[in-house]
Amino acid sequence: MIYITIFIAAVFVNNIVLSQFLGICPFLGVSKKISTALGMSGGVAFVLTLSTLITWLIFRYLLEPFELAFLQTISFILVIAALVQLVEIIIKKISQPLYQALGVYLPLISTNCAILGVAILVIQKEYNLLESVVFAFSTAIGFGLALVLFAGIREQLSRTKIPKGMQGTPIALLVAGLLAMAFMGFSGIVKL
């Protein structure tokens, strides 16, 4: 039951982008097309889940026993950066068009504060390994859901006539705010 609660809370109630405002850069930058949003969601899901697993192990079995917890942030950043390089190599070999479409946003996964934030959150919440992985994967699904919904809305907006002063970033921020308000409707479903 705890895993279902973690899943629902991470995807809907405490959505990393729409509720905690982490990972805004790729959320705004890669959300013009659904195809690139799906690609970024997959990359973030892979990096987020794997980095949380590895950073949890590093913290519990290396940093904590040797009283090196003060190295938590720097060691987590190094793990995340290495995993992003791995994802970049894989995407470049598997799908060249996706690699080109993601462009500069692919290396930005390494500076995506959502990934570092989740790695730190699982330590702060004192989750065990399985709970940490469920939380990370659920957070990645929530990130992907928000990103794909936002991309779909932006694709539809590109086909409509929008006043000149609202085109581009202003309408994107307005839609993001409305999407965040819609996700607020899920608050109260679960309590963590």
Side-chain angles (χ1 to χ4, degrees), residues 2-192:
I2 185 72
Y3 303 113
I4 295 170
T5 304
I6 289 172
F7 178 81
I8 292 171
V11 173
F12 299 109
V13 179
N14 298 321
N15 187 286
I16 198 80
V17 177
L18 301 174
S19 177
Q20 299 180 26
F21 307 112
L22 296 173
I24 297 293
C25 180
F27 180 70
L28 292 174
V30 188
S31 59
K32 291 181 181 164
K33 288 182 170 181
I34 292 178
S35 59
T36 55
L38 285 169
M40 178 61 92
S41 298
V44 167
F46 178 77
V47 171
L48 186 60
T49 305
L50 198 57
S51 67
T52 300
L53 173 73
I54 293 169
T55 55
W56 188 91
L57 292 169
I58 287 172
F59 185 81
R60 291 288 181 234
Y61 295 111
L62 186 65
L63 299 179
E64 198 174 45
F66 294 108
E67 297 179 8
L68 297 171
F70 62 92
L71 293 174
Q72 171 184 346
T73 304
I74 191 72
S75 62
F76 288 8
I77 289 171
L78 291 172
V79 167
I80 291 166
L83 286 172
V84 168
Q85 291 302 313
L86 179 68
V87 167
E88 189 171 3
I89 291 167
I90 291 170
I91 289 177
K92 190 174 185 177
K93 288 195 184 263
I94 291 175
S95 176
Q96 192 68 30
L98 179 60
Y99 179 77
Q100 304 249 333
L102 291 174
V104 70
Y105 295 104
L106 191 57
L108 286 178
I109 293 176
S110 61
T111 59
N112 186 344
C113 55
I115 295 173
L116 180 61
V118 169
I120 292 172
L121 279 172
V122 297
I123 301 300
Q124 288 176 347
K125 293 181 182 233
E126 297 182 356
Y127 283 154
N128 64 34
L129 183 60
L130 186 55
E131 290 170 344
S132 298
V133 171
V134 168
F135 179 74
F137 185 71
S138 302
T139 300
I141 289 181
F143 177 85
L145 176 66
L147 190 61
V148 170
L149 284 173
F150 191 54
I153 293 169
R154 286 185 77 178
E155 276 189 8
Q156 289 298 317
L157 284 174
S158 70
R159 297 180 186 132
T160 61
K161 188 173 180 177
I162 298 171
K164 188 165 178 87
M166 287 298 291
Q167 291 176 358
T169 305
I171 194 72
L173 292 174
L174 182 66
V175 168
L178 291 172
L179 198 55
M181 287 175 52
F183 270 68
M184 282 178 56
F186 294 113
S187 62
I189 290 178
V190 293
K191 189 166 184 159
L192 274 179

